[in-house]
Amino acid sequence: MTPNQPHSTKSVSTLDELLDVLDHEYCRRVLVALVDSEQQSDASLSPHSMWKEGTDLLEKGQSYSHLLKIDAAGFVDWDRETDTITRGPRFDELLPLLGWAPPLPSKTTPDTETDESVDELFDALSHPIRRHVLLSLADPDSLAVDKTMSYPPSEESDGDDADSDPDLLALELRHRHFTLLDDYGFVEWDPETETLTRGERFDDVVPLLDFVAEYRAEQSRQSE
């Protein structure tokens, strides 16, 4: 981090921020590598050591863009002079979620299937509406979600007008969130009967849903 670019002083992350950081594969690889470095708080690594073999210039540019964001947020400290990355002052906030990221595969034989599977998990949970949908399905007393589902009152929307317009919300749920979750296999969405049930991969997301539920409960306890 350069002197004229101070780290964020924010002390508590929102779920949106934490999950957004881990939604990008390069960021996950960097952060997991810092965890895996013999658990040393002063461990460092080179940004380009996290690229997979065959990474093109566009992907490298995108990786640096994401690296700048997590550096500015304080999750890592990127020293441009030495071109090394170390844990930032807010790194520990990510540790509970980093436990769900898989070990780093070999750079020469990347586990593409695992990478894509984890990408889908974090993408599914990166939006508060999708978290709300999946948490509703995780409730043993509610195995299906109907078309009347609304925005979760305790979480921020992404700035869309849908949170104040029921018709827009219905369209967004059907054509954006339900469809994406169905594509990933976490839910089964039947547009003809307008019913949503657990998909064949629902169990894959349960451990992360447990984290989300516990995170919410802890935030609620701290606000009391």
Side-chain angles (χ1 to χ4, degrees):
M1 196 75 184
T2 56
N4 61 345
Q5 239 179 337
H7 280 304
S8 168
T9 57
K10 188 176 180 181
S11 58
V12 178
S13 300
T14 64
L15 272 175
D16 286 339
E17 184 181 14
L18 293 176
L19 290 166
D20 184 60
V21 167
L22 294 177
D23 185 39
H24 190 266
E25 181 192 352
Y26 179 80
C27 290
R28 280 202 313 274
R29 293 177 67 86
V30 167
L31 294 163
V32 170
L34 288 174
V35 172
D36 291 344
S37 298
E38 299 180 359
Q39 303 295 321
Q40 298 174 4
S41 60
D42 60 347
S44 65
L45 54 92
S46 170
H48 58 76
S49 68
M50 292 294 98
W51 291 329
K52 291 181 179 179
E53 184 175 317
T55 300
D56 60 32
L57 288 176
L58 177 59
E59 291 175 313
K60 290 177 180 179
Q62 292 173 337
S63 298
Y64 275 125
S65 176
H66 285 279
L67 180 57
L68 283 168
K69 291 179 182 179
I70 61 174
D71 174 56
F75 295 119
V76 302
D77 192 340
W78 178 20
D79 187 326
R80 273 66 153 185
E81 292 184 0
T82 61
D83 200 27
T84 55
I85 306 171
T86 55
R87 299 181 185 184
R90 298 178 61 202
F91 182 84
D92 286 354
E93 295 177 43
L94 289 166
L95 286 176
L97 272 174
L98 288 172
W100 299 112
L104 290 176
S106 166
K107 289 178 61 180
T108 56
T109 57
D111 189 340
T112 304
E113 183 176 348
T114 298
D115 288 343
E116 290 180 352
S117 176
V118 176
D119 283 340
E120 291 170 355
L121 281 172
F122 284 109
D123 185 38
L125 287 169
S126 65
H127 194 286
I129 296 303
R130 294 196 288 272
R131 290 198 294 272
H132 185 59
V133 170
L134 292 168
L135 284 167
S136 296
L137 286 173
D139 185 344
D141 297 323
S142 177
L143 297 182
V145 177
D146 64 26
K147 61 182 178 181
T148 63
M149 173 171 287
S150 61
Y151 271 97
S154 62
E155 296 199 54
E156 299 176 357
S157 71
D158 61 359
D160 294 341
D161 292 332
D163 58 347
S164 59
D165 187 321
D167 292 332
L168 288 177
L169 169 59
L171 286 172
E172 185 179 18
L173 284 170
R174 290 176 177 83
H175 299 292
R176 178 184 176 188
H177 300 299
F178 291 170
T179 301
L180 181 141
L181 292 173
D182 182 83
D183 288 344
Y184 289 164
F186 300 133
V187 307
E188 288 189 10
W189 164 236
D190 187 335
E192 292 186 3
T193 61
E194 295 193 316
T195 56
L196 191 77
T197 55
R198 297 177 183 179
E200 61 182 11
R201 293 184 59 207
F202 185 82
D203 287 347
D204 292 350
V205 80
V206 168
L208 277 171
L209 291 176
D210 290 341
F211 168 82
V212 170
E214 179 56 32
Y215 185 98
R216 285 179 173 178
E218 180 61 28
Q219 293 296 99
S220 178
R221 287 191 292 267
Q222 291 180 2
S223 64
E224 292 177 352

Coordinates of all heavy atoms in Angstrom, one line a residue, residues 9 37 45 83 96 115 117 129 142 153 170 197 201 214:
T9 N -10.5 2.3 7.0 CA -10.6 2.3 8.5 C -11.8 1.6 9.0 O -12.1 1.5 10.1 CB -10.5 3.7 9.1 OG1 -11.6 4.5 8.5 CG2 -9.2 4.4 8.7
S37 N 0.1 -20.1 4.1 CA 1.5 -19.9 4.2 C 2.0 -20.2 5.7 O 2.4 -19.3 6.4 CB 1.9 -18.5 3.8 OG 1.6 -18.3 2.5
L45 N 3.6 -13.0 -0.6 CA 3.6 -13.6 -1.9 C 3.6 -12.6 -3.0 O 3.3 -11.4 -2.8 CB 2.5 -14.6 -2.0 CG 1.1 -14.0 -1.8 CD1 0.4 -13.6 -3.1 CD2 0.2 -15.1 -1.1
D83 N 6.6 -5.5 -4.9 CA 5.6 -6.3 -5.5 C 5.3 -7.6 -4.7 O 5.4 -8.7 -5.2 CB 6.1 -6.7 -6.9 CG 5.0 -7.2 -7.8 OD1 3.8 -6.7 -7.6 OD2 5.2 -8.0 -8.7
P96 N -13.3 -16.7 8.7 CA -14.4 -17.7 8.8 C -14.8 -18.2 7.4 O -15.1 -19.4 7.2 CB -15.5 -17.0 9.5 CG -14.8 -15.9 10.3 CD -13.6 -15.5 9.4
D115 N -12.9 -25.1 -9.2 CA -12.9 -23.6 -9.2 C -14.3 -23.1 -9.6 O -14.8 -22.2 -9.0 CB -11.9 -23.1 -10.3 CG -10.4 -23.3 -9.8 OD1 -10.3 -23.5 -8.6 OD2 -9.5 -23.2 -10.6
S117 N -17.1 -24.7 -9.4 CA -18.1 -25.0 -8.3 C -18.1 -24.0 -7.2 O -19.1 -23.6 -6.7 CB -17.8 -26.4 -7.8 OG -18.7 -26.8 -6.7
I129 N -30.8 -11.1 -1.9 CA -32.0 -11.8 -2.2 C -31.8 -13.3 -2.4 O -32.6 -14.1 -1.9 CB -32.6 -11.3 -3.6 CG1 -33.0 -9.8 -3.4 CG2 -33.8 -12.1 -4.0 CD1 -33.9 -9.6 -2.3
S142 N -40.0 -25.2 5.9 CA -40.3 -24.5 4.7 C -39.5 -25.1 3.5 O -38.4 -24.6 3.2 CB -40.1 -23.0 4.8 OG -40.4 -22.4 3.6
P153 N -36.0 -7.8 4.9 CA -36.1 -6.5 5.5 C -34.8 -6.1 6.1 O -34.5 -4.9 6.3 CB -37.2 -6.6 6.5 CG -37.3 -8.0 6.8 CD -36.9 -8.8 5.6
A170 N -41.1 -9.2 -8.5 CA -41.5 -10.5 -9.0 C -40.8 -10.9 -10.3 O -40.3 -12.0 -10.5 CB -43.0 -10.5 -9.3
T197 N -38.1 -25.3 -5.2 CA -37.7 -26.3 -4.2 C -36.2 -26.5 -4.2 O -35.5 -26.0 -5.1 CB -38.4 -27.6 -4.5 OG1 -38.1 -28.0 -5.8 CG2 -39.9 -27.5 -4.4
R201 N -28.0 -29.9 -5.8 CA -26.8 -29.4 -5.2 C -27.0 -28.5 -4.0 O -26.1 -27.9 -3.5 CB -26.0 -28.6 -6.2 CG -25.4 -29.4 -7.4 CD -24.5 -28.5 -8.2 NE -23.4 -28.0 -7.5 CZ -22.8 -26.8 -7.8 NH1 -23.2 -26.1 -8.8 NH2 -21.8 -26.4 -7.0
E214 N -25.2 -17.7 11.3 CA -24.5 -17.4 12.5 C -24.0 -16.0 12.5 O -23.9 -15.3 13.5 CB -23.3 -18.4 12.7 CG -22.5 -18.1 13.9 CD -23.2 -18.1 15.2 OE1 -24.2 -18.9 15.3 OE2 -22.8 -17.4 16.1

